[in-house]
Amino acid sequence: MVFWVFGYGSLAWNPGFDYDEKIIGFIKDYRRVFDLACIDHRGTPEHPARTCTLEEKEGAICWGAAYCVRGGPEKEKLAMQYLEKRECEYDQKTLVSFYKEEDSLNPVLTGVIVFTSTADKANKYYLGPAPLEDMARQIATAYGPCGNNRDYLFALEKAMYDIGHEEDYVIELANEVRKELGIVNELGNDVRKELGIVDVLPKDKLVAPTPHIPISSLQVHALPIALDS
């Protein structure tokens, strides 16, 4: 038995488990949204973080990475146990088709596992949508055992840049968080440039830095532990 799992959040840059193959590509009819609460990795029960989940939307595509685990039942069992513990805030597993850029019509993989959350009040981790400014304020200030919420967002932004498929929604939210933190100045020299990412924030959206927060403290860094969501 061999299984594939699709990473669209922190799995895209920090899988944390032993895998045998990685493929960059996308799934169809899903979009990434920051509608899921995280209370034990990047936030706390008192101040939950916002992490991403998937929302069904016809015609949408979501880029990420598919990871293959093969090598026998014990290895596969260990990988799945790790994933189920790490992704405990997601309440369902869905099987999807996975496509590569070279052929957007015919899937290169089928039956790929993706962890998602139900958009339902019965799901205690589902926050639902909110105004961009409110989400940015929450992400800018949430912090948990695995680090702060903003680094999660900035790492996702960089991961999408690294695979050549930046996402407007992620960029817009990340720039709003930077505005909230006061780290975008009138020249547009923000964290995206320190990460080697071209700045796309329009001039009329740039703000002076208040208060000053050292950029070095906001750089993406390796997670202190592998477990993350």
Side-chain angles (χ1 to χ4, degrees), residues 100-149:
K100 293 181 69 175
E101 190 166 20
E102 305 90 90
D103 188 351
S104 61
L105 298 179
N106 301 298
V108 65
L109 299 169
T110 58
V112 177
I113 300 168
V114 60
F115 287 82
T116 59
S117 60
T118 51
D120 193 293
K121 290 181 179 179
N123 177 4
K124 65 179 182 179
Y125 296 111
Y126 180 69
L127 294 173
L132 187 69
E133 296 81 2
D134 292 348
M135 289 197 295
R137 192 172 302 111
Q138 184 175 358
I139 292 169
T141 55
Y143 185 90
C146 289
N148 59 56
N149 197 178

Side-chain angles (χ1 to χ4, degrees), residues 1-3 17-21 68-83:
M1 180 181 173
V2 174
F3 76 81
F17 61 94
D18 187 14
Y19 63 90
D20 298 281
E21 188 176 353
C68 175
V69 178
R70 63 171 71 94
E74 186 60 28
K75 181 178 178 181
E76 294 154 17
K77 179 182 177 181
L78 288 173
M80 185 54 68
Q81 286 177 338
Y82 168 82
L83 286 166

Side-chain angles (χ1 to χ4, degrees), residues 5 12 51 59 81 134 152 166 192:
V5 60
T51 52
Q81 286 177 338
D134 292 348
Y152 172 95
E166 291 190 275
R192 286 173 61 79

Side-chain angles (χ1 to χ4, degrees), residues 165-210:
H165 291 281
E166 291 190 275
E167 188 172 302
D168 289 345
Y169 169 71
V170 173
I171 293 171
E172 185 179 13
L173 183 55
N175 278 332
E176 193 66 31
V177 170
R178 294 186 185 107
K179 285 171 64 178
E180 188 69 29
L181 294 168
I183 58 174
V184 180
N185 67 24
E186 63 275 7
L187 298 177
N189 297 317
D190 62 9
V191 174
R192 286 173 61 79
K193 287 191 174 180
E194 287 228 344
L195 295 176
I197 302 173
V198 177
D199 177 40
V200 296
L201 195 64
K203 289 183 179 180
D204 62 349
K205 299 295 185 183
L206 298 177
V207 296
T210 55

Side-chain angles (χ1 to χ4, degrees), residues 28-47:
K28 294 182 177 181
D29 298 323
Y30 287 95
R31 67 178 179 182
R32 203 173 348 242
V33 291
F34 273 75
D35 292 352
L36 191 69
C38 178
I39 63 172
D40 54 2
H41 297 158
R42 296 284 182 165
T44 63
E46 297 76 24
H47 192 173

